[in-house]
Amino acid sequence: MSRYVLLGLFHEATPTANTIEQLRAVGISDDQVTVMSGMPYRPEMLGRPRHRGRVWRFAIVGALLGAATALFLTVGVWLLYPLVQGGQPITPIPPTLIIAFEVTMLGTMWASFLSMLFENRFPAFKSQLYDPRVTEGHIGVLLEVDEKLADQVEAILKANGAHHFQRVEEKRPLFKPRGGTWQDFKERIAAAIGGPDVGHRKFWLAVLTILVIGGAIGALVPYGVFPISFPTQMENQISIAYEQGPRRAAPAAAVPVQGPVLIAGLPATAPIPANANSLQRGEVLYGVTCIVCHGATGVGNGKLSGFLSPKPADLTSASIQGISDDAIFLVITQGLDAMPSLAENLGVQDRWDVINYVRRLKK
Ligand code: HEC
């Protein structure tokens, strides 16, 4: 059975209201009828029920989904992989609140946006009838009916003074499912989902299905369910270890350095005597830069020492105290294994002050 899309144009609200009243009498429900108008007629003026948007419901669901995602990211992940850092609580409240707020808002906004499209029946797959006179103040009554009702509806529209009338056979869809007619198929789905506007609902059902399936597949990738080889960890990537050979040969013109190691532009020996001022500065700077690892007394028991391998050196020991000033200068400047370069934290002068102080840590 073919279906028709009918459009009638009216001048006034009253005949429009009468038409809708009579359409209802022949069994056409309000949501089958679309009234188009450039004028802000309230639905009550046309004897229609007020349309209640459902965007807010989608927004609430989106917000709940967002909040659940945020909770998973902030709390769930740390419960799965607990990693205590620097004595901080595993889910510190300030960043957790920020992430929870952001992701909840993200869920709300996406849900509102998509439901707005859904509510406006986007995308439209059916024959669209429109008359530019609607923008000029005419009221258009648009509806889609079965063949058997089409003549009756046309008569109702004309009897109420529709001054312009269009009737179009519903366009055949591009593809037809196998077995049964497209119409049967549509009716079956319509019965299942409970609505006449099948194309539109099916589209959103497909979008939802793709999102759910895609999301599920995406979520399983990190667990190796789908063997896609990502280079995930730097340590698994092709790389060269620290000072690993082959090394470049020194340039022919290079001069081998004997004795104290020189860094271009920096002094090789302590330029400041270990006077009271230098030692005081050194003590303060040691407390700021070295104490976390080497500890207050210098024996290498600072707060961070437990996390380091090799352990921080015992600065009071004879072996470290036996190292020359310029060698310690070099260690502070360039770092050594787990000890980072502190050149950004300490100026040249500061480094010498610290070295003067380190000398006082001797047992
Ligand atoms: C992040 C922790 C850390 C900080 C901060 C740190 N060190 Fe070290 N330091 C170490 C570790 C670890 C070692 C042992 C390295 C090794 O044995 O390979 C070390 C070794 C040393 C050594 C011995 C070097 C050698 O040749 O064996 C000296 C001297 C030293 N640190 C001085 C300092 C001074 C002075 C400061 C402050 C300016 C400082 N460190 C700050 C971790 C630290």
Side-chain angles (χ1 to χ4, degrees):
M1 197 193 323
S2 45
R3 285 172 78 77
Y4 289 94
V5 183
L6 308 170
L7 173 69
L9 283 191
F10 294 88
H11 285 297
E12 305 282 343
T14 314
T16 314
N18 292 340
T19 310
I20 293 169
E21 186 72 50
Q22 290 168 23
L23 287 175
R24 236 178 258 141
V26 297
I28 291 169
S29 69
D30 269 296
D31 41 286
Q32 274 173 281
V33 181
T34 305
V35 177
M36 299 186 285
S37 167
M39 300 285 156
Y41 290 112
R42 291 160 59 89
E44 293 89 335
M45 292 165 76
L46 301 172
R48 311 195 75 200
R50 175 168 279 283
H51 177 72
R52 293 195 147 269
R54 286 171 298 177
V55 173
W56 64 275
R57 286 190 207 170
F58 287 94
I60 288 178
V61 172
L64 289 177
L65 283 179
T69 312
L71 266 179
F72 174 73
L73 287 177
T74 52
V75 183
V77 169
W78 307 132
L79 288 179
L80 288 172
Y81 307 102
L83 183 68
V84 181
Q85 282 269 334
Q88 290 291 314
I90 205 115
T91 50
I93 291 166
T96 305
L97 280 182
I98 295 170
I99 295 171
F101 172 75
E102 298 290 349
V103 183
T104 307
M105 289 311 287
L106 194 71
T108 317
M109 287 185 277
W110 267 108
S112 312
F113 175 67
L114 292 178
S115 67
M116 190 267 292
L117 296 182
F118 178 75
E119 279 282 280
N120 287 300
R121 302 186 169 221
F122 173 84
F125 294 107
K126 298 183 173 175
S127 327
Q128 299 293 303
L129 266 191
Y130 183 70
D131 193 298
R133 276 169 285 185
V134 169
T135 38
E136 292 160 12
H138 297 237
I139 307 174
V141 172
L142 181 79
L143 67 164
E144 188 198 316
V145 287
D146 281 341
E147 204 175 9
K148 57 175 191 283
L149 270 180
D151 290 333
Q152 211 176 340
V153 169
E154 185 173 340
I156 293 175
L157 289 174
K158 286 189 172 152
N160 282 291
H163 61 84
H164 181 80
F165 182 78
Q166 284 187 59
R167 174 170 171 166
V168 187
E169 191 169 353
E170 168 76 283
K171 265 197 224 107
R172 292 201 138 261
L174 288 175
F175 53 90
K176 243 172 90 174
R178 246 182 284 158
T181 61
W182 174 246
Q183 196 55 44
D184 292 344
F185 179 68
K186 268 170 85 167
E187 269 159 15
R188 250 180 289 140
I189 300 232
I193 313 176
D197 201 352
V198 181
H200 151 81
R201 279 169 203 243
K202 224 174 70 182
F203 173 82
W204 285 104
L205 209 66
V207 169
L208 199 73
T209 316
I210 290 170
L211 280 180
V212 168
I213 294 178
I217 292 175
L220 289 175
V221 165
Y223 294 96
V225 176
F226 306 99
I228 304 170
S229 66
F230 287 115
T232 45
Q233 302 287 335
M234 266 178 113
E235 61 181 16
N236 299 334
Q237 295 171 20
I238 300 164
S239 55
I240 294 174
Y242 180 62
E243 292 201 341
Q244 180 189 320
R247 299 176 68 177
R248 281 178 159 189
V255 180
V257 176
Q258 302 293 322
V261 188
L262 291 166
I263 297 178
L266 298 183
T269 44
I272 339 162
N275 58 27
N277 283 344
S278 171
L279 285 172
Q280 202 185 5
R281 286 197 301 269
E283 186 176 0
V284 172
L285 294 169
Y286 180 89
V288 176
T289 31
C290 320
I291 215 164
V292 281
C293 296
H294 290 283
T297 54
V299 293
N301 60 351
K303 286 222 168 90
L304 277 184
S305 59
F307 298 97
L308 299 173
S309 170
K311 295 273 164 256
D314 177 358
L315 301 181
T316 66
S317 65
S319 61
I320 299 296
Q321 288 293 337
I323 299 173
S324 65
D325 283 356
D326 56 276
I328 299 183
F329 184 91
L330 206 66
V331 169
I332 300 176
T333 309
Q334 300 184 334
L336 180 73
D337 295 334
M339 174 168 164
S341 159
L342 293 163
E344 285 190 8
N345 307 60
L346 298 170
V348 173
Q349 173 96 35
D350 300 337
R351 281 173 238 171
W352 290 118
D353 287 332
V354 171
I355 292 166
N356 282 338
Y357 178 73
V358 167
R359 290 299 180 205
R360 295 298 147 114
L361 295 171
K362 187 154 55 170
K363 275 200 195 108

